[in-house]
Amino acid sequence: MSFPSVEEQLAIIKRGAVEIVPEQELIEKLKKSKKENKPLRVKLGVDPTRPDLHLGHSVILRKMRQFQDLGHEVILIIGGFTAMIGDPTGQNKTRPPLTIEEVNENAQTYIDQAKKILDEDKLTLTNNNDWLGPMDFMDVVRLSSKLTVARMIERDDFSKRFENNEAISLHEFLYPLAQGQDSVYLKSDIELGGTDQKFNLLVGRQLQKDDGQDQQVCLMMPLLVGTDGSAKMSKSYDNYIGIDEAPNDMYGKTLSVPDELIYTYFELVTDIATEDLPAIKEKAEKDPRNAKHDLAYTVVRMYHGEESAKAAKDHFEQTVINKQVPDDAPEFEYNSGEELRLLDVISDTGFSPSNGETKRMMKQGGISLDDEKIKDINHTITLESGQEVALKVGKRNFGIIKGK
RNA sequence: GGGGAGAUACCAAAGCGGCCAACUGGGGCAGACUGUAAAUCUGUUGUCUUACGACUUCGUAGGUUCGAAUCCUGCUCUCCCCA
């Protein structure tokens, strides 16, 4: 096999990338790789701390996929060891270290999800516990002599926590070193990471240099802004779109992304060909409504297929735009002729977390039967055999109550 | 090692013996509006109860009191200053 031209490769590699340090070295590595027909070793380390992957994670995983498609060797490091330290990057508090059991379990769910983006057959999987685990205390001491305290505390996340009188545990300083050691061990040519990983990635370069190796190129991808349009996509901000989410949720959530982000999402999280991006950009500006529906469709298609994407689009139009009960609403059967309290019925459906919450929604007009708002908390219904009543609880929960 | 400060609901932060299920902001939820599950405005926000009310909740374990988130003691954790 042979690699595409350096120019072609570079165009794909640079798509969406914020910074390549140093870009010239990347070009050199690509040239050499092509000339010797030898793939570059591209490394990504992940912490199996949160098993639910979302589109934010997909930005980097997609970049990895692009390297795979170009023919390079892509190495995914499960941070089995580093997860037990906890990456302090961007954190305002110490991360709780995980046990080995948790790490193994999380790692598996991570891999299962990552396979939806990466080409499993071309993936090299490793666990940094294999080489970090056996290091003894002296090894750690030697390693930690490579970095100064001053360098550590000039980092934003640490200095902020320091100023705010928040706890910083000593072990958190060891994290970048552990990650950098991965690069030394694997002799990586390129390491991917979010912009927030810059410090950690650069440590890898330094440690490789100390070891007499060629230094890795650091490729930084932007942090995807979440559906709220302000903070980075993250589970803890609840502004994320999970890659395991149901098609309908995925579609709806994607539509809630602010218009300004339509193009960014296309560029970073979809498989739309790079050459088609300019046309997309124009559409996003001129016709944001349809461009966003295209985006939602594309995202659902990527993870659930064409059929589901169509269905999700229909579902959204039916429920949100036309405010009708969807075809796939769950059914709840009750004996006919029996007087049922609506409160209890809703409790059965699981659409509301507590009766107090249900009553609140009722008072506020958030609950309806056959399009009629029910505000009486004592409302009862009696079904006839075969009768179907459409129930709506809040904005998104639809059900059919049926008499048997 | 010595001295000081602190731990409140999803988060931040008031309260400092009864009027506290606990001010306020964020978040969440609902309504209106919208191309949108966006923005904005309004309402709402422990659990159970038709309601009266009952129960659990203010780091943790005890204690004082008719009554404690508020006072006392032990414990755990965090921050600051000094060494």
mmCIF file of all heavy atoms in Angstrom, chain B residues 7-9 13-16 20-22 56-61 68-70:
data_model
loop_
_atom_site.group_PDB
_atom_site.id
_atom_site.type_symbol
_atom_site.label_atom_id
_atom_site.label_comp_id
_atom_site.label_asym_id
_atom_site.label_seq_id
_atom_site.Cartn_x
_atom_site.Cartn_y
_atom_site.Cartn_z
ATOM 1 P P A B 7 -19.416 26.189 57.404
ATOM 2 O OP1 A B 7 -20.524 26.867 56.704
ATOM 3 O OP2 A B 7 -19.588 25.749 58.793
ATOM 4 O "O5'" A B 7 -18.971 24.905 56.577
ATOM 5 C "C5'" A B 7 -19.314 24.737 55.177
ATOM 6 C "C4'" A B 7 -18.944 23.307 54.847
ATOM 7 O "O4'" A B 7 -17.894 22.924 55.743
ATOM 8 C "C3'" A B 7 -20.087 22.319 55.031
ATOM 9 O "O3'" A B 7 -20.374 21.701 53.784
ATOM 10 C "C2'" A B 7 -19.586 21.283 55.997
ATOM 11 O "O2'" A B 7 -19.651 19.966 55.434
ATOM 12 C "C1'" A B 7 -18.100 21.594 56.140
ATOM 13 N N9 A B 7 -17.556 21.405 57.492
ATOM 14 C C8 A B 7 -17.464 22.303 58.515
ATOM 15 N N7 A B 7 -16.866 21.844 59.587
ATOM 16 C C5 A B 7 -16.532 20.550 59.231
ATOM 17 C C6 A B 7 -15.879 19.511 59.932
ATOM 18 N N6 A B 7 -15.418 19.632 61.162
ATOM 19 N N1 A B 7 -15.720 18.340 59.291
ATOM 20 C C2 A B 7 -16.183 18.203 58.037
ATOM 21 N N3 A B 7 -16.804 19.101 57.273
ATOM 22 C C4 A B 7 -16.951 20.261 57.946
ATOM 23 P P U B 8 -21.263 22.301 52.677
ATOM 24 O OP1 U B 8 -21.438 21.218 51.707
ATOM 25 O OP2 U B 8 -20.821 23.634 52.244
ATOM 26 O "O5'" U B 8 -22.621 22.482 53.471
ATOM 27 C "C5'" U B 8 -23.392 21.343 53.834
ATOM 28 C "C4'" U B 8 -24.793 21.777 54.107
ATOM 29 O "O4'" U B 8 -24.768 23.003 54.882
ATOM 30 C "C3'" U B 8 -25.602 22.161 52.868
ATOM 31 O "O3'" U B 8 -26.204 21.021 52.288
ATOM 32 C "C2'" U B 8 -26.673 23.057 53.470
ATOM 33 O "O2'" U B 8 -27.676 22.307 54.104
ATOM 34 C "C1'" U B 8 -25.878 23.811 54.529
ATOM 35 N N1 U B 8 -25.400 25.130 54.090
ATOM 36 C C2 U B 8 -26.347 26.145 54.021
ATOM 37 O O2 U B 8 -27.528 25.975 54.278
ATOM 38 N N3 U B 8 -25.864 27.363 53.635
ATOM 39 C C4 U B 8 -24.568 27.657 53.322
ATOM 40 O O4 U B 8 -24.277 28.817 52.995
ATOM 41 C C5 U B 8 -23.642 26.561 53.405
ATOM 42 C C6 U B 8 -24.090 25.364 53.777
ATOM 43 P P A B 9 -25.714 20.474 50.900
ATOM 44 O OP1 A B 9 -24.928 19.248 51.085
ATOM 45 O OP2 A B 9 -25.160 21.598 50.143
ATOM 46 O "O5'" A B 9 -27.109 20.138 50.235
ATOM 47 C "C5'" A B 9 -27.557 18.859 49.806
ATOM 48 C "C4'" A B 9 -29.025 19.048 49.471
ATOM 49 O "O4'" A B 9 -29.474 20.184 50.219
ATOM 50 C "C3'" A B 9 -29.268 19.354 47.995
ATOM 51 O "O3'" A B 9 -30.049 18.303 47.437
ATOM 52 C "C2'" A B 9 -30.102 20.609 47.954
ATOM 53 O "O2'" A B 9 -31.412 20.383 47.394
ATOM 54 C "C1'" A B 9 -30.364 20.923 49.420
ATOM 55 N N9 A B 9 -30.236 22.346 49.747
ATOM 56 C C8 A B 9 -29.121 23.141 49.789
ATOM 57 N N7 A B 9 -29.359 24.389 50.144
ATOM 58 C C5 A B 9 -30.741 24.401 50.345
ATOM 59 C C6 A B 9 -31.627 25.409 50.727
ATOM 60 N N6 A B 9 -31.249 26.649 51.000
ATOM 61 N N1 A B 9 -32.928 25.102 50.827
ATOM 62 C C2 A B 9 -33.313 23.845 50.560
ATOM 63 N N3 A B 9 -32.582 22.796 50.189
ATOM 64 C C4 A B 9 -31.290 23.146 50.100
ATOM 65 P P A B 13 -19.464 28.827 48.099
ATOM 66 O OP1 A B 13 -18.223 29.610 48.269
ATOM 67 O OP2 A B 13 -19.581 27.505 48.737
ATOM 68 O "O5'" A B 13 -20.693 29.737 48.585
ATOM 69 C "C5'" A B 13 -20.764 31.116 48.238
ATOM 70 C "C4'" A B 13 -22.087 31.686 48.678
ATOM 71 O "O4'" A B 13 -23.160 30.913 48.080
ATOM 72 C "C3'" A B 13 -22.359 31.600 50.178
ATOM 73 O "O3'" A B 13 -21.795 32.723 50.842
ATOM 74 C "C2'" A B 13 -23.881 31.617 50.225
ATOM 75 O "O2'" A B 13 -24.402 32.910 50.043
ATOM 76 C "C1'" A B 13 -24.227 30.775 48.996
ATOM 77 N N9 A B 13 -24.383 29.340 49.314
ATOM 78 C C8 A B 13 -23.453 28.337 49.198
ATOM 79 N N7 A B 13 -23.909 27.152 49.532
ATOM 80 C C5 A B 13 -25.223 27.393 49.887
ATOM 81 C C6 A B 13 -26.239 26.547 50.337
ATOM 82 N N6 A B 13 -26.090 25.226 50.499
ATOM 83 N N1 A B 13 -27.438 27.094 50.618
ATOM 84 C C2 A B 13 -27.578 28.416 50.456
ATOM 85 N N3 A B 13 -26.703 29.317 50.037
ATOM 86 C C4 A B 13 -25.528 28.738 49.760
ATOM 87 P P A B 14 -21.916 32.817 52.445
ATOM 88 O OP1 A B 14 -21.047 33.932 52.857
ATOM 89 O OP2 A B 14 -21.731 31.472 53.042
ATOM 90 O "O5'" A B 14 -23.430 33.264 52.649
ATOM 91 C "C5'" A B 14 -23.922 33.503 53.928
ATOM 92 C "C4'" A B 14 -25.338 33.993 53.819
ATOM 93 O "O4'" A B 14 -26.078 33.158 52.901
ATOM 94 C "C3'" A B 14 -26.122 33.901 55.130
ATOM 95 O "O3'" A B 14 -25.877 35.029 55.942
ATOM 96 C "C2'" A B 14 -27.553 33.862 54.636
ATOM 97 O "O2'" A B 14 -28.039 35.148 54.326
ATOM 98 C "C1'" A B 14 -27.423 33.036 53.357
ATOM 99 N N9 A B 14 -27.731 31.616 53.554
ATOM 100 C C8 A B 14 -26.907 30.540 53.374
ATOM 101 N N7 A B 14 -27.482 29.382 53.600
ATOM 102 C C5 A B 14 -28.777 29.730 53.952
ATOM 103 C C6 A B 14 -29.899 28.952 54.309
ATOM 104 N N6 A B 14 -29.888 27.630 54.359
ATOM 105 N N1 A B 14 -31.032 29.608 54.622
ATOM 106 C C2 A B 14 -31.040 30.944 54.561
ATOM 107 N N3 A B 14 -30.061 31.776 54.233
ATOM 108 C C4 A B 14 -28.943 31.097 53.933
ATOM 109 P P G B 15 -25.324 34.829 57.426
ATOM 110 O OP1 G B 15 -25.143 36.156 58.027
ATOM 111 O OP2 G B 15 -24.180 33.889 57.365
ATOM 112 O "O5'" G B 15 -26.528 34.090 58.154
ATOM 113 C "C5'" G B 15 -27.768 34.764 58.314
ATOM 114 C "C4'" G B 15 -28.868 33.761 58.540
ATOM 115 O "O4'" G B 15 -28.799 32.731 57.532
ATOM 116 C "C3'" G B 15 -28.798 33.015 59.875
ATOM 117 O "O3'" G B 15 -29.580 33.701 60.836
ATOM 118 C "C2'" G B 15 -29.448 31.674 59.564
ATOM 119 O "O2'" G B 15 -30.827 31.677 59.813
ATOM 120 C "C1'" G B 15 -29.219 31.494 58.070
ATOM 121 N N9 G B 15 -28.226 30.473 57.755
ATOM 122 C C8 G B 15 -26.890 30.659 57.549
ATOM 123 N N7 G B 15 -26.266 29.558 57.272
ATOM 124 C C5 G B 15 -27.242 28.575 57.293
ATOM 125 C C6 G B 15 -27.166 27.188 57.070
ATOM 126 O O6 G B 15 -26.182 26.519 56.791
ATOM 127 N N1 G B 15 -28.408 26.561 57.207
ATOM 128 C C2 G B 15 -29.566 27.209 57.517
ATOM 129 N N2 G B 15 -30.645 26.445 57.603
ATOM 130 N N3 G B 15 -29.658 28.513 57.709
ATOM 131 C C4 G B 15 -28.467 29.120 57.587
ATOM 132 P P C B 16 -28.872 34.456 62.049
ATOM 133 O OP1 C B 16 -29.503 35.779 61.973
ATOM 134 O OP2 C B 16 -27.397 34.332 61.911
ATOM 135 O "O5'" C B 16 -29.293 33.853 63.452
ATOM 136 C "C5'" C B 16 -29.675 32.535 63.751
ATOM 137 C "C4'" C B 16 -28.506 31.762 64.337
ATOM 138 O "O4'" C B 16 -27.694 31.293 63.233
ATOM 139 C "C3'" C B 16 -27.567 32.552 65.245
ATOM 140 O "O3'" C B 16 -27.779 32.174 66.606
ATOM 141 C "C2'" C B 16 -26.148 32.132 64.843
ATOM 142 O "O2'" C B 16 -25.456 31.447 65.866
ATOM 143 C "C1'" C B 16 -26.370 31.192 63.656
ATOM 144 N N1 C B 16 -25.507 31.428 62.482
ATOM 145 C C2 C B 16 -24.962 30.325 61.812
ATOM 146 O O2 C B 16 -25.235 29.199 62.213
ATOM 147 N N3 C B 16 -24.159 30.540 60.720
ATOM 148 C C4 C B 16 -23.915 31.785 60.328
ATOM 149 N N4 C B 16 -23.152 31.930 59.264
ATOM 150 C C5 C B 16 -24.455 32.927 61.000
ATOM 151 C C6 C B 16 -25.239 32.717 62.086
ATOM 152 P P C B 20 -39.759 30.650 58.703
ATOM 153 O OP1 C B 20 -38.741 31.404 59.425
ATOM 154 O OP2 C B 20 -40.416 31.190 57.496
ATOM 155 O "O5'" C B 20 -39.135 29.265 58.323
ATOM 156 C "C5'" C B 20 -39.886 28.030 58.271
ATOM 157 C "C4'" C B 20 -38.885 26.906 58.401
ATOM 158 O "O4'" C B 20 -37.671 27.398 57.803
ATOM 159 C "C3'" C B 20 -38.560 26.516 59.848
ATOM 160 O "O3'" C B 20 -38.933 25.179 60.172
ATOM 161 C "C2'" C B 20 -37.053 26.698 60.003
ATOM 162 O "O2'" C B 20 -36.408 25.511 60.432
ATOM 163 C "C1'" C B 20 -36.563 26.984 58.589
ATOM 164 N N1 C B 20 -35.518 28.016 58.488
ATOM 165 C C2 C B 20 -34.194 27.546 58.419
ATOM 166 O O2 C B 20 -33.991 26.330 58.507
ATOM 167 N N3 C B 20 -33.201 28.446 58.272
ATOM 168 C C4 C B 20 -33.479 29.742 58.177
ATOM 169 N N4 C B 20 -32.469 30.569 58.014
ATOM 170 C C5 C B 20 -34.807 30.237 58.253
ATOM 171 C C6 C B 20 -35.795 29.342 58.399
ATOM 172 P P A B 21 -40.088 24.424 59.345
ATOM 173 O OP1 A B 21 -41.314 25.181 59.361
ATOM 174 O OP2 A B 21 -40.097 23.069 59.907
ATOM 175 O "O5'" A B 21 -39.619 24.447 57.817
ATOM 176 C "C5'" A B 21 -39.245 23.313 57.173
ATOM 177 C "C4'" A B 21 -38.832 23.679 55.758
ATOM 178 O "O4'" A B 21 -37.780 22.807 55.381
ATOM 179 C "C3'" A B 21 -39.983 23.531 54.762
ATOM 180 O "O3'" A B 21 -40.044 24.608 53.841
ATOM 181 C "C2'" A B 21 -39.619 22.300 53.975
ATOM 182 O "O2'" A B 21 -39.828 22.467 52.573
ATOM 183 C "C1'" A B 21 -38.106 22.173 54.165
ATOM 184 N N9 A B 21 -37.662 20.796 54.255
ATOM 185 C C8 A B 21 -38.015 19.823 55.153
ATOM 186 N N7 A B 21 -37.424 18.681 54.943
ATOM 187 C C5 A B 21 -36.635 18.910 53.820
ATOM 188 C C6 A B 21 -35.760 18.109 53.084
ATOM 189 N N6 A B 21 -35.531 16.841 53.378
ATOM 190 N N1 A B 21 -35.135 18.662 52.029
ATOM 191 C C2 A B 21 -35.373 19.942 51.736
ATOM 192 N N3 A B 21 -36.172 20.803 52.360
ATOM 193 C C4 A B 21 -36.773 20.211 53.391
ATOM 194 P P A B 22 -39.995 26.075 54.105
ATOM 195 O OP1 A B 22 -40.833 26.336 55.287
ATOM 196 O OP2 A B 22 -40.293 26.710 52.801
ATOM 197 O "O5'" A B 22 -38.473 26.393 54.489
ATOM 198 C "C5'" A B 22 -37.522 26.665 53.490
ATOM 199 C "C4'" A B 22 -36.338 27.338 54.143
ATOM 200 O "O4'" A B 22 -35.824 26.463 55.155
ATOM 201 C "C3'" A B 22 -35.177 27.586 53.175
ATOM 202 O "O3'" A B 22 -35.301 28.866 52.624
ATOM 203 C "C2'" A B 22 -33.961 27.481 54.067
ATOM 204 O "O2'" A B 22 -33.671 28.703 54.695
ATOM 205 C "C1'" A B 22 -34.406 26.456 55.109
ATOM 206 N N9 A B 22 -33.958 25.102 54.841
ATOM 207 C C8 A B 22 -34.696 23.954 54.881
ATOM 208 N N7 A B 22 -34.025 22.863 54.631
ATOM 209 C C5 A B 22 -32.735 23.321 54.411
ATOM 210 C C6 A B 22 -31.525 22.672 54.105
ATOM 211 N N6 A B 22 -31.447 21.354 53.975
ATOM 212 N N1 A B 22 -30.430 23.430 53.942
ATOM 213 C C2 A B 22 -30.536 24.749 54.082
ATOM 214 N N3 A B 22 -31.611 25.480 54.381
ATOM 215 C C4 A B 22 -32.676 24.696 54.528
ATOM 216 P P U B 56 -38.330 11.305 61.032
ATOM 217 O OP1 U B 56 -37.706 10.258 61.847
ATOM 218 O OP2 U B 56 -38.721 12.595 61.636
ATOM 219 O "O5'" U B 56 -37.378 11.587 59.775
ATOM 220 C "C5'" U B 56 -36.671 10.513 59.141
ATOM 221 C "C4'" U B 56 -36.064 10.991 57.847
ATOM 222 O "O4'" U B 56 -37.101 11.576 57.018
ATOM 223 C "C3'" U B 56 -35.040 12.121 57.956
ATOM 224 O "O3'" U B 56 -33.750 11.685 58.334
ATOM 225 C "C2'" U B 56 -35.042 12.629 56.520
ATOM 226 O "O2'" U B 56 -34.373 11.770 55.646
ATOM 227 C "C1'" U B 56 -36.544 12.620 56.230
ATOM 228 N N1 U B 56 -37.146 13.909 56.610
ATOM 229 C C2 U B 56 -37.015 14.957 55.708
ATOM 230 O O2 U B 56 -36.465 14.852 54.648
ATOM 231 N N3 U B 56 -37.569 16.128 56.133
ATOM 232 C C4 U B 56 -38.209 16.379 57.321
ATOM 233 O O4 U B 56 -38.648 17.490 57.554
ATOM 234 C C5 U B 56 -38.298 15.250 58.198
ATOM 235 C C6 U B 56 -37.767 14.080 57.817
ATOM 236 P P U B 57 -32.751 12.741 59.013
ATOM 237 O OP1 U B 57 -31.495 12.047 59.284
ATOM 238 O OP2 U B 57 -33.480 13.407 60.118
ATOM 239 O "O5'" U B 57 -32.497 13.829 57.871
ATOM 240 C "C5'" U B 57 -31.640 13.500 56.781
ATOM 241 C "C4'" U B 57 -31.499 14.700 55.876
ATOM 242 O "O4'" U B 57 -32.814 15.187 55.476
ATOM 243 C "C3'" U B 57 -30.866 15.930 56.508
ATOM 244 O "O3'" U B 57 -29.457 15.853 56.562
ATOM 245 C "C2'" U B 57 -31.321 17.023 55.536
ATOM 246 O "O2'" U B 57 -30.603 17.005 54.329
ATOM 247 C "C1'" U B 57 -32.760 16.598 55.278
ATOM 248 N N1 U B 57 -33.683 17.247 56.226
ATOM 249 C C2 U B 57 -34.001 18.585 55.994
ATOM 250 O O2 U B 57 -33.563 19.209 55.064
ATOM 251 N N3 U B 57 -34.823 19.141 56.930
ATOM 252 C C4 U B 57 -35.350 18.537 58.042
ATOM 253 O O4 U B 57 -36.080 19.175 58.795
ATOM 254 C C5 U B 57 -34.983 17.159 58.210
ATOM 255 C C6 U B 57 -34.181 16.586 57.313
ATOM 256 P P C B 58 -28.713 16.292 57.909
ATOM 257 O OP1 C B 58 -27.573 15.385 58.064
ATOM 258 O OP2 C B 58 -29.703 16.468 58.979
ATOM 259 O "O5'" C B 58 -28.170 17.737 57.551
ATOM 260 C "C5'" C B 58 -27.365 17.956 56.390
ATOM 261 C "C4'" C B 58 -26.967 19.418 56.385
ATOM 262 O "O4'" C B 58 -28.144 20.210 56.217
ATOM 263 C "C3'" C B 58 -26.278 19.861 57.678
ATOM 264 O "O3'" C B 58 -24.960 20.285 57.325
ATOM 265 C "C2'" C B 58 -27.109 21.024 58.197
ATOM 266 O "O2'" C B 58 -26.321 22.136 58.485
ATOM 267 C "C1'" C B 58 -28.063 21.345 57.050
ATOM 268 N N1 C B 58 -29.424 21.756 57.402
ATOM 269 C C2 C B 58 -29.708 23.124 57.302
ATOM 270 O O2 C B 58 -28.809 23.894 56.960
ATOM 271 N N3 C B 58 -30.965 23.552 57.588
ATOM 272 C C4 C B 58 -31.897 22.684 57.950
ATOM 273 N N4 C B 58 -33.107 23.158 58.211
ATOM 274 C C5 C B 58 -31.623 21.281 58.059
ATOM 275 C C6 C B 58 -30.379 20.863 57.769
ATOM 276 P P G B 59 -23.724 20.021 58.282
ATOM 277 O OP1 G B 59 -24.069 19.746 59.693
ATOM 278 O OP2 G B 59 -23.042 21.248 57.880
ATOM 279 O "O5'" G B 59 -22.884 18.768 57.769
ATOM 280 C "C5'" G B 59 -23.074 18.257 56.448
ATOM 281 C "C4'" G B 59 -22.163 17.065 56.293
ATOM 282 O "O4'" G B 59 -20.798 17.513 56.452
ATOM 283 C "C3'" G B 59 -22.357 16.000 57.360
ATOM 284 O "O3'" G B 59 -23.346 15.068 56.963
ATOM 285 C "C2'" G B 59 -20.975 15.349 57.415
ATOM 286 O "O2'" G B 59 -20.790 14.419 56.380
ATOM 287 C "C1'" G B 59 -20.065 16.553 57.197
ATOM 288 N N9 G B 59 -19.621 17.179 58.448
ATOM 289 C C8 G B 59 -19.853 18.462 58.852
ATOM 290 N N7 G B 59 -19.340 18.729 60.023
ATOM 291 C C5 G B 59 -18.725 17.549 60.413
ATOM 292 C C6 G B 59 -17.999 17.237 61.585
ATOM 293 O O6 G B 59 -17.741 17.956 62.546
ATOM 294 N N1 G B 59 -17.536 15.928 61.579
ATOM 295 C C2 G B 59 -17.762 15.039 60.563
ATOM 296 N N2 G B 59 -17.248 13.831 60.736
ATOM 297 N N3 G B 59 -18.440 15.314 59.457
ATOM 298 C C4 G B 59 -18.886 16.579 59.453
ATOM 299 P P U B 60 -24.203 14.291 58.034
ATOM 300 O OP1 U B 60 -25.119 13.390 57.306
ATOM 301 O OP2 U B 60 -24.743 15.263 59.002
ATOM 302 O "O5'" U B 60 -23.113 13.431 58.795
ATOM 303 C "C5'" U B 60 -22.692 12.152 58.308
ATOM 304 C "C4'" U B 60 -21.825 11.497 59.359
ATOM 305 O "O4'" U B 60 -20.708 12.373 59.663
ATOM 306 C "C3'" U B 60 -22.516 11.307 60.710
ATOM 307 O "O3'" U B 60 -23.269 10.113 60.743
ATOM 308 C "C2'" U B 60 -21.328 11.253 61.664
ATOM 309 O "O2'" U B 60 -20.681 10.005 61.641
ATOM 310 C "C1'" U B 60 -20.410 12.317 61.048
ATOM 311 N N1 U B 60 -20.608 13.652 61.647
ATOM 312 C C2 U B 60 -19.986 13.910 62.864
ATOM 313 O O2 U B 60 -19.315 13.074 63.446
ATOM 314 N N3 U B 60 -20.186 15.167 63.365
ATOM 315 C C4 U B 60 -20.926 16.179 62.798
ATOM 316 O O4 U B 60 -21.001 17.275 63.374
ATOM 317 C C5 U B 60 -21.549 15.841 61.545
ATOM 318 C C6 U B 60 -21.375 14.616 61.030
ATOM 319 P P A B 61 -24.532 9.990 61.698
ATOM 320 O OP1 A B 61 -25.253 8.768 61.319
ATOM 321 O OP2 A B 61 -25.232 11.294 61.739
ATOM 322 O "O5'" A B 61 -23.847 9.760 63.121
ATOM 323 C "C5'" A B 61 -23.167 8.538 63.387
ATOM 324 C "C4'" A B 61 -22.567 8.592 64.778
ATOM 325 O "O4'" A B 61 -21.529 9.608 64.809
ATOM 326 C "C3'" A B 61 -23.535 9.016 65.873
ATOM 327 O "O3'" A B 61 -24.345 7.945 66.300
ATOM 328 C "C2'" A B 61 -22.563 9.476 66.958
ATOM 329 O "O2'" A B 61 -21.973 8.400 67.638
ATOM 330 C "C1'" A B 61 -21.504 10.192 66.110
ATOM 331 N N9 A B 61 -21.781 11.629 65.989
ATOM 332 C C8 A B 61 -22.480 12.295 65.016
ATOM 333 N N7 A B 61 -22.548 13.594 65.192
ATOM 334 C C5 A B 61 -21.847 13.792 66.379
ATOM 335 C C6 A B 61 -21.551 14.959 67.116
ATOM 336 N N6 A B 61 -21.945 16.181 66.758
ATOM 337 N N1 A B 61 -20.844 14.812 68.250
ATOM 338 C C2 A B 61 -20.450 13.584 68.619
ATOM 339 N N3 A B 61 -20.668 12.413 67.999
ATOM 340 C C4 A B 61 -21.375 12.592 66.885
ATOM 341 P P A B 68 -34.583 19.780 68.793
ATOM 342 O OP1 A B 68 -34.633 18.949 67.555
ATOM 343 O OP2 A B 68 -33.811 19.315 69.958
ATOM 344 O "O5'" A B 68 -34.089 21.258 68.449
ATOM 345 C "C5'" A B 68 -34.611 21.985 67.339
ATOM 346 C "C4'" A B 68 -33.439 22.571 66.592
ATOM 347 O "O4'" A B 68 -32.562 23.227 67.518
ATOM 348 C "C3'" A B 68 -32.668 21.488 65.850
ATOM 349 O "O3'" A B 68 -32.848 21.780 64.485
ATOM 350 C "C2'" A B 68 -31.226 21.571 66.372
ATOM 351 O "O2'" A B 68 -30.361 21.851 65.313
ATOM 352 C "C1'" A B 68 -31.238 22.780 67.318
ATOM 353 N N9 A B 68 -30.653 22.620 68.658
ATOM 354 C C8 A B 68 -30.543 21.520 69.462
ATOM 355 N N7 A B 68 -29.989 21.775 70.639
ATOM 356 C C5 A B 68 -29.711 23.141 70.571
ATOM 357 C C6 A B 68 -29.128 24.045 71.492
ATOM 358 N N6 A B 68 -28.721 23.701 72.721
ATOM 359 N N1 A B 68 -28.990 25.321 71.109
ATOM 360 C C2 A B 68 -29.418 25.688 69.910
ATOM 361 N N3 A B 68 -30.001 24.936 68.958
ATOM 362 C C4 A B 68 -30.103 23.661 69.364
ATOM 363 P P A B 69 -32.496 20.950 63.280
ATOM 364 O OP1 A B 69 -33.566 21.219 62.325
ATOM 365 O OP2 A B 69 -32.173 19.563 63.713
ATOM 366 O "O5'" A B 69 -31.167 21.626 62.715
ATOM 367 C "C5'" A B 69 -30.195 20.814 62.047
ATOM 368 C "C4'" A B 69 -29.060 21.686 61.571
ATOM 369 O "O4'" A B 69 -29.559 22.555 60.527
ATOM 370 C "C3'" A B 69 -28.506 22.626 62.634
ATOM 371 O "O3'" A B 69 -27.482 21.980 63.352
ATOM 372 C "C2'" A B 69 -27.969 23.779 61.782
ATOM 373 O "O2'" A B 69 -26.691 23.501 61.249
ATOM 374 C "C1'" A B 69 -28.975 23.833 60.643
ATOM 375 N N9 A B 69 -30.050 24.801 60.853
ATOM 376 C C8 A B 69 -31.389 24.538 61.034
ATOM 377 N N7 A B 69 -32.118 25.627 61.182
ATOM 378 C C5 A B 69 -31.191 26.660 61.081
ATOM 379 C C6 A B 69 -31.322 28.049 61.143
ATOM 380 N N6 A B 69 -32.483 28.671 61.332
ATOM 381 N N1 A B 69 -30.213 28.795 60.997
ATOM 382 C C2 A B 69 -29.052 28.183 60.806
ATOM 383 N N3 A B 69 -28.795 26.872 60.727
ATOM 384 C C4 A B 69 -29.921 26.162 60.869
ATOM 385 P P U B 70 -26.910 22.566 64.700
ATOM 386 O OP1 U B 70 -25.956 21.603 65.232
ATOM 387 O OP2 U B 70 -28.036 23.053 65.555
ATOM 388 O "O5'" U B 70 -26.139 23.829 64.211
ATOM 389 C "C5'" U B 70 -25.542 24.746 65.116
ATOM 390 C "C4'" U B 70 -26.147 26.121 64.951
ATOM 391 O "O4'" U B 70 -27.469 26.022 64.395
ATOM 392 C "C3'" U B 70 -26.302 26.894 66.250
ATOM 393 O "O3'" U B 70 -25.290 27.896 66.307
ATOM 394 C "C2'" U B 70 -27.697 27.508 66.186
ATOM 395 O "O2'" U B 70 -27.646 28.895 66.309
ATOM 396 C "C1'" U B 70 -28.195 27.145 64.802
ATOM 397 N N1 U B 70 -29.632 26.857 64.713
ATOM 398 C C2 U B 70 -30.492 27.940 64.599
ATOM 399 O O2 U B 70 -30.111 29.084 64.621
ATOM 400 N N3 U B 70 -31.818 27.603 64.494
ATOM 401 C C4 U B 70 -32.357 26.342 64.454
ATOM 402 O O4 U B 70 -33.564 26.204 64.331
ATOM 403 C C5 U B 70 -31.404 25.284 64.583
ATOM 404 C C6 U B 70 -30.101 25.571 64.699
#
